Amino acid sequence: MLDVRDLHIAYPGQSSEAVRGVSFSLEKGSLTGLVGESGSGKTTIVSAILGLLPAGTRVSGRIEVCGEDLLTLSEEALRRRRWKEVALVPQGAQNSFTPVKTIGSHIEEVLRVHCTLAGTAAKTRVSALLEQVELDASIARRYPHELSGGQKQRAAIALALACDPALLLADEPTTALDVITQAGILRLLLRLKEERDLTVLLVTHDLPLAASVCDELIVMKDGELIECGAPKKLIHAPEHAYTRRLVEAM
Ligand SMILES: Nc1ncnc2c1ncn2[C@@H]1O[C@H](COP(=O)(O)OP(=O)(O)OP(=O)(O)O)[C@@H](O)[C@H]1O
Ligand SMILES: [Mg+2]
């Protein structure tokens, strides 16, 4: 589904690389946790997969989605793939809604712009999407400030699913939520993965949380991939000292 090979990324004006020689792959229909401390390069990798790095960023390696190297595609070709093939629940998604627009109009706009769906068909789809993320269809008429943090996070997931992507990148979707709400969001991602055969990359700095739901874990530190594998193996037999420290801190 997704194959990242020897990815190097340096932001404009930076002499050191934010991502250094990272390789991993995601199986179709799998839930993979990208784990690492703040600044380890998680969001940078996510931005690269979406083709959303700032202009002037130096990128090398390969990012293959369904056999096609995204790094060789034009901006236009990348734009066509965003939302429909690869969609993002951005870090801080709860604060990314425009305050003066209802949740429904946020989703309708994505449907209109990216999936050429409008009118009654779009309204029906909005209700269906909200139901998929276990929100009442009436939420569509509410403004962002009328939702709880957990509801906003679910709405952000509904928005990302609008055009039925095959790959969902969820950047810290549970940060700033209480433990019960976090667990609800994780169960939702797990259900979506199973029901829609969705491939999910779950970015988090929370190793125990990722270990509780993911099929595979990728551990990053300072822009490098330290270790990857099944959660059981990583937790019970970590090969790298850094992973061992993370596990011990659990
Ligand atoms: N636009 C940018 N320009 C320059 N440097 C950047 C930019 N965005 C991120 N960086 C740097 O790249 C490195 C990796 O940042 P990144 O946002 O990928 O980390 P992260 O693992 O997502 O951290 P967090 O858990 O805090 O979200 C950091 O050193 C950061 O300062
Ligand atoms: Mg980040």
Side-chain angles (χ1 to χ4, degrees):
M1 170 77 227
L2 173 75
D3 192 46
V4 173
R5 281 304 119 199
D6 197 27
L7 185 63
H8 290 260
I9 302 171
Y11 282 105
Q14 306 279 319
S15 51
S16 66
E17 293 179 329
V19 170
R20 296 183 280 158
V22 167
S23 303
F24 64 90
S25 48
L26 307 186
E27 295 280 331
K28 185 164 168 31
S30 65
L31 173 54
T32 304
L34 183 58
V35 187
E37 60 197 37
S38 187
S40 56
K42 307 182 297 295
T43 299
T44 302
I45 290 179
V46 164
S47 305
I49 297 170
L50 283 154
L52 288 177
L53 288 165
T57 305
R58 301 185 303 286
V59 187
S60 69
R62 296 173 71 78
I63 303 177
E64 279 189 12
V65 174
C66 303
E68 202 170 28
D69 184 4
L70 298 185
L71 296 181
T72 63
L73 297 180
S74 66
E75 177 53 34
E76 174 54 30
L78 281 172
R79 199 176 312 128
R80 264 185 273 119
R81 277 167 177 76
R82 260 176 243 142
W83 297 97
K84 285 193 207 128
E85 287 179 18
V86 185
L88 171 71
V89 181
Q91 187 162 8
Q94 296 169 48
N95 305 318
S96 67
F97 290 103
T98 310
V100 295
K101 278 170 59 182
T102 61
I103 297 300
S105 51
H106 278 91
I107 304 178
E108 278 180 48
E109 186 182 338
V110 170
L111 290 173
R112 181 165 39 80
V113 176
H114 302 283
C115 338
T116 55
L117 198 67
T120 321
K123 291 222 167 4
T124 310
R125 176 108 178 108
V126 168
S127 301
L129 284 163
L130 290 173
E131 269 164 33
Q132 284 223 8
V133 298
E134 298 149 10
L135 288 176
D136 195 86
S138 66
I139 293 273
R141 293 192 296 275
R142 293 211 212 159
Y143 290 90
H145 73 271
E146 298 174 319
L147 268 61
S148 71
Q151 286 173 325
K152 268 190 265 190
Q153 196 60 58
R154 284 172 190 271
I157 295 172
L159 193 66
L161 295 177
C163 304
D164 205 14
L167 173 61
L168 183 73
L169 310 173
D171 197 351
E172 304 274 6
T174 62
T175 306
L177 298 175
D178 64 81
V179 184
I180 306 272
T181 312
Q182 283 189 351
I185 299 288
L186 290 182
R187 272 200 307 276
L188 170 65
L189 290 175
L190 204 55
R191 211 200 75 222
L192 291 169
K193 169 200 106 147
E194 272 154 21
E195 287 179 5
R196 305 171 60 124
D197 202 23
L198 190 67
T199 309
V200 184
L201 185 64
L202 168 68
V203 175
T204 175
H205 55 260
D206 192 331
L207 178 64
L209 183 118
S212 68
V213 288
C214 292
D215 304 305
E216 290 277 319
L217 293 180
I218 299 166
V219 180
M220 299 265 310
K221 185 181 189 310
D222 300 334
E224 289 183 45
L225 189 154
I226 297 289
E227 193 164 346
C228 61
K232 255 199 188 131
K233 175 192 157 269
L234 244 73
I235 285 168
H236 297 297
E239 278 170 21
H240 200 281
Y242 178 70
T243 317
R244 216 170 300 136
R245 260 190 287 141
L246 278 184
V247 171
E248 278 161 14
M250 269 167 72

